[in-house]
Amino acid sequence: MAVSGQEAVRVLNYMVTSNHVHLVVVDDGERDVIPNSMQLVAGRTGQEYNQGKDRRGAYWEDRYHATAVESGDHLARCMVYMDANMVRAGVVSHPSMWPFCGYNEIQEPRRKNVLIDYERLQRLIGARSYDQVRNSHRGWVEEYLGDGEKARKEEWTDSIAVGSRPFVEKVKQLLGFRAKGRVIIEGGEGYQVREGPGTYNALIGAEIGDRDRRCRYNTHYLDT
């Protein structure tokens, strides 16, 4: 996916609902490409919505929440959690039933209007072929749906980094003073650098009530 002529931002998965958006993206190493791209997309989306509805004021509830995700198994878990968003919400029983997400595009790659970078996804997942990506992805989703555990997981909503211990330590170090007061905690399948309390909770209110209220969007990105 190119944003404003740039070729540095690639989409690996997405989920669009009535009031929030999730993205998994990766850049090509250029500084500030992801935040600049998110600012551009958010601005255009809000502008077009306001024009269509003849309304004024902020469209988004707040700035986006970003989580750095390590490639491989952690990326796979992040993608499955995102795919199952509307299943957890009780809207559909399977991700394939929700048309505004990346599940079906990953399973049946498009020839036109392509959003997902299939080659980059294959490489970051660590698969030998794209058929392996599709089969593994489908199996991961079925396993998630079958285990009976559909609760919201704070590692994907409150954390600023998810991965191995060396990975999250690197992210925390790169954040410098912005990581002050944030701790590394161990979860069931990896480590996290946790966001300060209150920051993300302030956004949750946009999920409930009038669909014309302000929305929120989250970005999960690969720190490569």
Side-chain angles (χ1 to χ4, degrees):
M1 172 182 137
V3 180
S4 187
Q6 298 174 16
E7 297 294 337
V9 176
R10 308 291 180 177
V11 175
L12 304 179
N13 201 7
Y14 59 91
M15 167 63 67
V16 181
T17 78
S18 63
N19 58 11
H20 65 282
V21 177
H22 295 276
L23 293 172
V24 179
V25 300
V26 63
D27 62 33
D28 288 332
E30 297 180 30
R31 182 178 176 85
D32 296 331
V33 167
I34 290 177
N36 290 342
S37 298
M38 293 303 102
Q39 183 180 19
L40 178 63
V41 171
R44 287 185 176 178
T45 302
Q47 183 180 47
E48 291 183 11
Y49 181 86
N50 283 350
Q51 289 176 348
K53 293 289 186 177
D54 192 24
R55 68 185 292 274
R56 296 179 181 274
Y59 175 75
W60 301 103
E61 181 73 13
D62 208 331
R63 72 181 301 278
Y64 71 94
H65 173 87
T67 303
V69 182
E70 190 171 13
S71 59
D73 291 344
H74 300 285
L75 169 59
R77 292 194 299 112
C78 178
M79 291 178 57
V80 171
Y81 184 78
M82 181 181 296
D83 288 329
N85 185 286
M86 299 308 285
V87 176
R88 288 191 300 277
V91 178
V92 296
S93 59
H94 194 278
S96 62
M97 301 171 65
W98 185 253
F100 312 110
C101 70
Y103 178 85
N104 288 325
E105 183 174 348
I106 292 172
Q107 289 300 310
E108 297 294 336
R110 300 174 180 175
R111 294 183 180 272
K112 297 181 179 180
N113 302 317
V114 177
L115 293 178
I116 292 175
D117 187 327
Y118 310 119
E119 292 183 2
R120 183 67 67 86
L121 177 59
Q122 176 185 329
R123 187 158 68 247
L124 290 170
I125 287 290
R128 294 186 299 274
S129 66
Y130 193 76
D131 281 342
Q132 184 181 3
V133 172
R134 294 167 60 187
N135 293 335
S136 296
H137 176 236
R138 184 167 57 249
W140 295 330
V141 169
E142 297 305 324
E143 181 179 2
Y144 177 88
L145 296 178
D147 69 8
E149 178 58 47
K150 302 297 180 294
R152 172 177 174 269
K153 292 188 177 181
E154 293 182 344
E155 67 177 318
W156 303 122
T157 56
D158 294 357
S159 298
I160 57 176
V162 176
S164 64
R165 180 89 192 198
F167 175 81
V168 298
E169 286 178 344
K170 173 189 172 184
V171 173
K172 185 176 181 181
Q173 182 180 13
L174 290 172
L175 285 171
F177 74 92
R178 290 175 294 174
K180 184 178 180 180
R182 295 169 177 172
V183 297
I184 296 175
I185 63 173
E186 184 176 4
E189 299 179 82
Y191 291 81
Q192 310 165 39
V193 178
R194 182 62 59 83
E195 187 104 49
T199 303
Y200 190 83
N201 290 338
L203 308 182
I204 297 177
E207 292 187 7
I208 304 172
D210 188 352
R211 292 188 178 185
D212 198 38
R213 292 178 60 185
R214 287 180 286 175
C215 300
R216 64 179 177 84
Y217 61 115
N218 299 341
T219 302
H220 296 79
Y221 66 94
L222 277 291
D223 189 328
T224 57

